Amino acid sequence: MNGQTCQDCGHESAAEARFCTSCGKRFFQESQTEARAKEILNLRILYVMAGLLVLAVLFPPWESPPGSPPAYLGMHFILSPPEPEAVVSRILQTVELVTIAIGGMYLAWVFREKP
C-alpha cells in the first residue's frame, strides 16, 4: 500500500488521508501549512484603512447640543463645530472607527496575496 504511516500507532493509511484511520491523529500536511505561511494581508487595503481611521478621528460626527432636539449634524472638522455648544458624538465615532477597522481587516484578508 502506498500511503502515509502514522507516527503514533504505525498504521498505514491512504496517501490522500488527512487523519489516521486507526487512531484518528491528524497527518501533517506540509504543502498546506507552507502555503498558508506565505499568505500576507493586502497592504494597500491596510494603508487605506489607516488613512480612513485618521480621517474619522479628524472629522468626528457631531450632535446637537444637550437640551435641544436630538439631531445628527454630520461630519465637520474638529475645530469648527456645526453650531455653538454642539458635541462630538462619541458613540457614533466609536461605531465608525470599529466599522472601518473590522471592514479593513476583512477586506485585507479577502484580497490577501497568495503564493
Side-chain angles (χ1 to χ4, degrees), residues 62-66 68-69 71-73 76 80-87:
W62 291 85
E63 292 179 337
S64 55
S68 55
Y72 171 67
L73 302 175
H76 295 273
S80 60
E83 59 185 62
E85 312 249 344
V87 292

Side-chain angles (χ1 to χ4, degrees), residues 31-65:
S31 59
Q32 290 176 349
T33 306
E34 290 174 4
R36 284 189 181 155
K38 292 178 184 175
E39 292 179 358
I40 58 172
L41 295 178
N42 191 319
L43 291 179
R44 280 184 236 123
I45 292 176
L46 292 176
Y47 291 141
V48 169
M49 179 192 69
L52 289 174
L53 289 172
V54 168
L55 289 175
V57 170
L58 291 177
F59 299 98
W62 291 85
E63 292 179 337
S64 55

